[in-house]
Amino acid sequence: MTPADAAELLTLCAAFDRRTIGEADARAWAYALRDVPLDDDARDAVADHYGRTEEWITPAHVRKVRARIRADRIGAAHPVYEPPQGEYETGAQFTERRRAQIAAAADGNVPARSIGQALDAAPPREVLALVAGIGRPVDDEPAPYIRPERRAEVRAPLNGKRAALVELAVDCPNEQCRAGRRRLCKGSRGAELRTGVHASRRDAYATAYATCPECDAGPGQQCAAPEPHPARIRAALAPAPDDEDDDEQQDLARLMSTPPQPRTARARHTTGGLRA
């Protein structure tokens, strides 16, 4: 920026802040902005500054706001460097061409575009076809990999309501529990968990008795993952057909076959003492 350029820029500043301009002012501004040209970005920097604040403008403000305006254009253009095809490029040539590309984006000569447009990143048709075939609907979940007769065999030695907790067929690996087979799990305070078991025991049961639909690991074999796949757990715990009706029938039969308990005589207080 020359003193004449600086005088023109100061004239624009005076339209906002009513400052007086002298030759010394123009020379000082020209020296402070010696590497900044008088262009539309410098003029926009003055207008943008006074559109946001009443603070007296200085060369530092012009430099800072102008740099922000140009950086915004670069960010919107996403300039991607493409080396010339079939030509050897030296480091100096790359630096020169890259600087020219960045300058063109800052000047507004590169239109704003998304990253995908800049990279021309549309996937090939073959890739899109493969992606469309990945996965399966939830309705296609495979049937449980544990036979009903095997489930009945596991439940057979479990008494009463414990038959609903098929996980009791294995020992609990929980460090604070360590309940043996057919024993209910215990909570942190020692109380028995009558409606469920520890997650590690559930996983151990699924590994011992079910085949994994995801990795085909058979009963007794670990899944390919550190823990049993969710599909394997669902397969192991899925109720067999008519299990609920069978349980109700068994409960009803047990109730009907159990004779009523005789009433026991209870001692009571009377004015004459105790009498059986």
Side-chain angles (χ1 to χ4, degrees):
M1 188 175 295
T2 65
D5 295 336
E8 181 180 343
L9 188 63
L10 282 167
T11 302
L12 177 62
C13 295
F16 292 100
D17 54 29
R18 302 299 182 184
R19 70 177 66 199
T20 58
I21 305 170
E23 182 179 354
D25 299 316
R27 290 185 179 276
W29 273 60
Y31 185 74
L33 300 174
R34 55 189 178 276
D35 57 337
V36 176
L38 178 63
D39 53 12
D40 290 339
D41 291 339
R43 298 184 182 93
D44 290 343
V46 174
D48 186 77
H49 173 82
Y50 279 113
R52 297 172 182 268
T53 180
E54 297 179 355
E55 183 180 357
W56 188 274
I57 195 169
T58 66
H61 291 129
V62 174
R63 184 184 297 275
K64 181 178 181 180
V65 177
R66 181 179 181 275
R68 189 191 70 225
I69 292 173
R70 297 175 66 81
D72 289 344
R73 291 201 194 103
I74 296 173
H78 296 104
V80 177
Y81 182 75
E82 296 181 3
Q85 297 294 330
E87 179 182 342
Y88 176 77
E89 184 180 39
T90 64
Q93 290 173 331
F94 163 77
T95 301
E96 181 181 357
R97 290 168 178 168
R98 181 58 175 169
R99 285 178 176 172
Q101 183 186 35
I102 297 297
D107 291 338
N109 297 327
V110 179
R113 53 188 178 172
S114 65
I115 295 178
Q117 293 172 335
L119 295 175
D120 192 18
R125 184 177 305 174
E126 297 80 4
V127 175
L128 293 176
L130 291 174
V131 171
I134 295 176
R136 63 172 183 269
V138 177
D139 295 339
D140 294 342
E141 187 71 27
Y145 272 54
I146 182 169
R147 302 187 307 276
E149 55 271 18
R150 178 56 179 164
R151 185 181 301 279
E153 179 183 348
V154 172
R155 289 187 174 187
L158 306 178
N159 298 325
K161 289 298 184 181
R162 297 189 182 187
L165 300 176
V166 295
E167 301 93 330
L168 300 186
V170 298
D171 296 335
C172 181
N174 185 283
E175 293 293 340
Q176 298 180 352
C177 179
R178 292 296 184 182
R181 295 185 181 183
R182 302 176 57 187
R183 298 290 183 181
L184 293 173
C185 287
K186 294 184 178 181
S188 58
R189 297 184 178 180
E192 291 184 338
L193 306 178
R194 296 185 177 274
T195 59
V197 297
H198 290 111
S200 56
R201 192 174 197 175
R202 176 205 62 196
D203 295 349
Y205 171 76
T207 301
Y209 291 105
T211 299
C212 182
E214 295 190 27
C215 64
D216 294 330
Q221 298 178 346
Q222 295 290 335
C223 283
E227 298 179 354
H229 288 110
R232 187 176 195 175
I233 297 174
R234 290 195 297 269
L237 300 181
D242 300 331
D243 270 1
E244 184 176 352
D245 295 339
D246 292 344
D247 289 345
E248 292 180 358
Q249 292 295 332
Q250 292 175 6
D251 291 343
L252 181 59
R254 187 182 303 108
L255 179 62
M256 297 299 293
S257 62
T258 303
Q261 296 293 332
R263 297 182 62 181
T264 58
R266 300 176 60 186
R268 60 180 180 176
H269 290 281
T270 65
T271 55
L274 296 176
R275 183 173 63 183

